[in-house]
Amino acid sequence: MALLSALRRAAIGSALALALLSETGCAGHERRVKATLEALDRNAPEQAIAALDEELGVAKPEDVPAVQEDEALLLLDRASVQLARGQHKLSARDFGAADQGIEVLDLSTNAAADIGKYVFSDDSGPYKAPAYEKLLLNTLNLLNYLAMRDLGGARVEARRLATMQAYVKGQGDESALLGLGSYLAGLAFEKSGRREEALLHYDEALRFAQYRSLRDPLRTLTQGKKTRPGIDALVGEAGALAPLEETGEAEIIVVLGFGRVPQKMPVRIPIGMALALVARELTADQIAQANALVAQGAISFVNYPTLGPGRGGYEVPSFGLDGKPQALEQALDIEAQTREAWHKREGTIVLSAITRLLARGVAGAAVQGGTTAAINAASSGNDNRNKDGAAALGMLLGMATNLTLSVLDTPDTRSWSTLPARVAIGRVRVPAGKHKVKLSARGMARTFDVDVPAGGWAVLPYFILR
Amino acid sequence: MQPLAFLRHTSAVLVAAALPSLVAGCGGDPTYVRGSQVEGLDDQAMSTGIDKRDIEQLLHENMKSLMASPLANGWAQAGDKPTLAIFPMINETSHHIEGQLQAVLSDEETFMVNSNLVTVVSRERQDQMIAEVERQQGGHFDPNHAAEYGRQLGAKYYITGKVYTADERAYGEHRVQYFMFMQVIETATSAVRWQNKATFTKALIRD
């Protein structure tokens, strides 16, 4: 009797402790960046940086933590915000650290994490960045180096991007080309006086989209000669254009990122709907098992991540030069890339959520059965009160097991949250000298005072992440 | 199994399952250490970039080759200590190794000064002159103008170099092969008087 009471107290204590843990245990990644995104919505990038510093466990933006798991992702977020603040050196440093961290995580295989993914939680183990994020990392860092007029650094990022593009292509991913990266890589080589490499990258960019802003630079680079079909098609019969050095002109390139990609959000969907989503992926045994658990009322909902709404996707940005409006063209629709990558993986994610649900049900049932049997075996055979107690205790421990695994199951909402929804680009020849460039989007505007010498150039990034 | 033992076992399993995830992100604090405190601290590669060990290897290979060359023998025999400018190495790699290349350059400068075979142009004077020549281009070193810098500095020879990489990812691994080319060029004729290639490989591989 005393033994059973002690067991009961222990089991109730365990269940209560676990219930409490479910309120205070590991939150999903979306909670880690909540303060950052709210700060960006208020147009307070400094507060966004402070929130990220806190999550990274560092005292100031100049500090870089050891990159072990999700720090790489938080560094990507901090790098984007620093880029938006015009802090290109800090942004480049953060991108560099994140790049190295993501590479190590990407190549690491961890059996425990893989098991965890299927039993405990979808965000067990290291973050594996999707292809478009890896490519955008080098693309945005290229932009940092161009903004700093560091062509050597820009060329390094261009080479890193090319290596990553080849790798992604080799993996059979057709999203190996993002256009903007190749455009900026071409620009880095063009301004370094490396014509052939510039043409190679521009040609790649044109396979992604017909960038009208490349027409005049290509007329200069090709001097009216036929080079590659994509380039020839864009240049058409326009003929050669004299280089900036000869005309005494300069060039201004603006890159305007605005809005924000959809964030991953945890959702609860009815088990029936989840089963319908992945019915073709489940075995007959798994479906029968799931149906049995549903019939017992043991499970009714599945937790899994989904994409929330994007921000600013329909915005029309503007580019003014010395008071006159200039043309902008879309360089990249990152929101579309995000959704496309997500839809490819959604089935797998729902499937693993159901797998974990079944694992929890099986573990709970095993603990319940085992506890009841063990207590019954240990107590005298005719004591019905002991048997009832054993059954109740078994049920309680089964619940505790289920609850433990539920506490640990957080939908994987990890993603690069501070990417702009879209990026626009504008490129104009201007007389050498001082100019006022005004960029605006999402109710925000910034004026840049630029002084460019003859034959010179300036790259002006402006990111509004709200 | 006795009830208490079973419960203890069950609890242990639950805690073992729960604990790693509940404390995820709360790993041990990193500690700063001195090289003298940890044996072999410089031995392990920490990335696919260039580290101290690689710099030492590059310097050793290049300087060994230069000292064994007919050019250095000529310097030793003539004993007139011609003026030598040491220009920055151009980074044509897929890694941001400008800082490390600066270290290679400083080590080379030290080696050449201590060799007593040449008179090395001071870095300060060199940088000042390059900044003046390249004022329009932000004062950065332009390898295409190396001969002009050499002439303006009154250097009879100058050392220049480039580092390339063959950077590949495949089968879940990443390999970077580095190729460092170095040359001593005679300023007056632009003739290459000595050239050497040093190579090494860094990789991120699966265990």
Side-chain angles (χ1 to χ4, degrees):
Chain A
M1 272 308 291
L3 176 66
L4 262 181
S5 300
L7 283 173
R8 210 172 285 125
R9 278 199 301 275
I12 290 167
S14 303
L16 285 173
L18 286 165
L20 191 65
L21 272 175
S22 69
E23 295 303 312
T24 58
C26 290
H29 184 79
E30 80 284 354
R31 286 214 210 157
R32 298 192 74 184
V33 291
K34 189 169 184 279
T36 299
L37 300 185
E38 284 173 352
L40 289 173
D41 291 342
R42 295 193 304 272
N43 190 36
E46 290 78 10
Q47 289 171 28
I49 293 287
L52 284 165
D53 285 347
E54 197 174 326
E55 281 298 331
L56 285 163
V58 295
K60 53 189 190 297
E62 288 74 20
D63 297 342
V64 178
V67 179
Q68 286 156 334
E69 282 202 358
D70 294 349
E71 291 86 358
L73 196 49
L74 294 166
L75 278 170
L76 283 181
D77 283 328
R78 194 170 71 171
S80 300
V81 181
Q82 294 289 28
L83 172 56
R85 291 178 69 219
Q87 297 290 328
H88 300 295
K89 201 170 179 178
L90 285 173
S91 177
R93 198 271 327 269
D94 279 355
F95 274 133
D99 196 356
Q100 201 175 313
I102 280 173
E103 178 181 62
V104 174
L105 295 179
D106 206 41
L107 299 184
S108 65
T109 48
N110 182 333
D114 289 345
I115 292 166
K117 228 174 170 61
Y118 287 100
V119 179
F120 302 128
S121 176
D122 206 20
D123 59 7
S124 294
Y127 177 67
K128 305 276 184 179
Y132 75 92
E133 285 187 1
K134 290 175 193 163
L135 296 169
L136 278 168
L137 191 159
N138 297 122
T139 300
L140 295 189
N141 213 11
L142 223 165
L143 188 55
N144 274 323
Y145 284 103
L146 287 169
M148 292 189 283
R149 301 184 55 80
D150 179 350
L151 288 171
R155 290 196 305 268
V156 167
E157 285 304 319
R159 292 185 201 105
R160 293 184 78 79
L161 178 67
T163 303
M164 185 52 77
Q165 281 174 329
Y167 176 66
V168 169
K169 215 177 280 181
Q171 302 281 92
D173 198 321
E174 63 277 13
S175 64
L177 191 62
L178 288 181
L180 176 65
S182 298
Y183 189 125
L184 296 176
L187 181 62
F189 283 104
E190 180 197 338
K191 298 306 177 190
S192 303
R194 313 262 284 257
R195 179 182 171 275
E196 279 309 313
E197 284 151 299
L199 287 172
L200 187 76
H201 287 290
Y202 282 148
D203 187 45
E204 276 196 339
L206 291 173
R207 282 182 217 167
F208 181 84
Q210 286 294 296
Y211 294 112
R212 283 172 295 112
S213 59
L214 276 178
R215 192 162 175 259
D216 283 354
L218 287 170
R219 286 172 63 198
T220 303
L221 280 172
T222 60
Q223 283 302 295
K225 296 188 181 91
K226 301 289 180 202
T227 52
R228 293 167 174 84
I231 291 172
D232 297 343
L234 184 69
V235 171
E237 300 306 314
L241 186 67
L244 299 167
E245 294 81 0
E246 281 180 26
T247 61
E249 292 174 295
E251 203 172 21
I252 292 174
I253 300 103
V254 301
V255 180
L256 189 52
F258 54 93
R260 222 168 45 227
V261 290
Q263 208 199 343
K264 284 186 194 168
M265 312 289 291
V267 289
R268 279 160 61 81
I269 62 169
I271 181 71
M273 191 189 287
L275 286 170
L277 273 173
V278 291
R280 280 185 303 176
E281 310 284 341
L282 292 168
T283 64
D285 279 355
Q286 283 176 315
I287 292 171
Q289 206 180 350
N291 286 335
L293 287 167
V294 173
Q296 287 168 23
I299 53 171
S300 54
F301 284 92
V302 176
N303 292 330
Y304 89 107
T306 190
L307 280 187
R311 299 176 72 90
Y314 297 102
E315 181 76 15
V316 179
S318 74
F319 165 28
L321 176 75
D322 301 325
K324 291 178 187 154
Q326 303 293 325
L328 274 173
E329 60 184 333
Q330 180 163 288
L332 192 58
D333 183 346
I334 302 177
E335 181 171 347
Q337 294 283 339
T338 308
R339 292 197 183 281
E340 192 183 328
W342 174 250
H343 290 315
K344 281 182 192 168
R345 298 168 65 189
E346 194 172 22
T348 312
I349 287 162
V350 177
L351 180 66
S352 62
I354 291 172
T355 308
R356 285 195 304 279
L357 205 65
L358 298 178
R360 285 207 297 272
V362 169
V367 170
Q368 181 178 339
T371 308
T372 308
I375 293 172
N376 284 341
S379 57
S380 53
N382 297 326
D383 192 343
N384 283 333
R385 279 183 309 168
N386 260 5
K387 284 182 179 173
D388 291 345
L393 189 61
M395 198 172 82
L396 206 54
L397 281 172
M399 278 171 57
T401 304
N402 227 323
L403 195 56
T404 301
L405 294 170
S406 296
V407 164
L408 300 177
D409 190 357
T410 50
D412 191 355
T413 52
R414 293 176 295 181
S415 66
W416 186 353
S417 313
T418 54
L419 278 169
R422 285 198 289 153
V423 181
I425 197 161
R427 188 168 178 170
V428 286
R429 276 190 173 213
V430 295
K434 293 181 179 178
H435 298 278
K436 276 199 184 303
V437 174
K438 188 179 178 185
L439 300 174
S440 64
R442 308 282 295 145
M444 299 289 301
R446 186 170 162 193
T447 302
F448 297 81
D449 291 309
V450 194
D451 191 355
V452 272
W457 54 276
V459 171
L460 307 174
Y462 182 45
F463 277 45
I464 305 129
L465 304 172
R466 57 189 296 208
Chain B
M1 195 187 280
Q2 291 303 302
L4 259 179
F6 176 79
L7 184 62
R8 208 175 291 128
H9 176 74
T10 306
S11 303
V13 169
L14 291 178
V15 169
L19 211 57
S21 296
L22 291 176
V23 300
C26 313
D29 290 333
T31 312
Y32 290 109
V33 293
R34 292 182 199 284
S36 56
Q37 287 176 293
V38 183
E39 200 182 335
L41 189 66
D42 289 330
D43 294 347
Q44 198 181 340
M46 304 280 280
S47 75
T48 49
I50 295 183
D51 59 22
K52 181 183 162 192
R53 178 63 55 90
D54 306 320
I55 290 170
E56 284 168 355
Q57 185 193 324
L58 286 170
L59 185 74
H60 174 74
E61 280 187 37
N62 282 314
M63 293 302 104
K64 193 175 144 192
S65 164
L66 178 57
M67 289 301 115
S69 69
L71 177 66
N73 285 333
W75 288 342
Q77 281 166 18
D80 57 351
K81 294 179 74 177
T83 309
L84 174 82
I86 301 176
F87 291 140
M89 258 178 291
I90 306 303
N91 179 12
E92 296 289 356
T93 75
S94 55
H95 282 63
H96 295 283
I97 54 168
E98 288 77 12
Q100 291 91 322
L101 291 182
Q102 281 294 326
V104 172
L105 213 62
S106 297
D107 286 354
E108 264 173 39
E109 197 174 47
T110 306
F111 184 93
M112 292 313 296
V113 168
N114 294 339
S115 75
N116 219 19
L117 293 174
V118 289
T119 304
V120 179
V121 175
S122 100
R123 183 77 65 84
E124 249 179 48
R125 188 178 148 221
Q126 193 173 291
D127 290 348
Q128 205 173 18
M129 193 277 303
I130 291 170
E132 274 173 37
V133 172
E134 303 295 351
R135 203 171 43 241
Q136 287 284 323
Q137 303 305 319
H140 298 299
F141 173 80
D142 182 345
N144 299 317
H145 301 159
E148 189 188 333
Y149 303 148
R151 271 191 295 276
Q152 292 214 24
L153 289 163
K156 190 174 182 188
Y157 300 96
Y158 60 88
I159 291 185
T160 183
K162 282 185 181 182
V163 188
Y164 295 90
T165 46
D167 189 336
E168 291 177 293
R169 289 170 194 246
Y171 316 113
E173 297 185 340
H174 184 192
R175 185 186 67 188
V176 186
Q177 295 167 317
Y178 286 88
F179 307 88
M180 179 183 270
F181 294 88
M182 288 192 71
Q183 296 177 319
V184 171
I185 293 172
E186 194 168 9
T187 308
T189 60
S190 289
V192 178
R193 302 294 309 273
W194 166 80
Q195 185 166 291
N196 187 59
K197 180 182 83 170
T199 64
F200 66 92
T201 301
K202 298 292 280 286
L204 181 62
I205 58 171
R206 292 181 189 277
D207 286 335

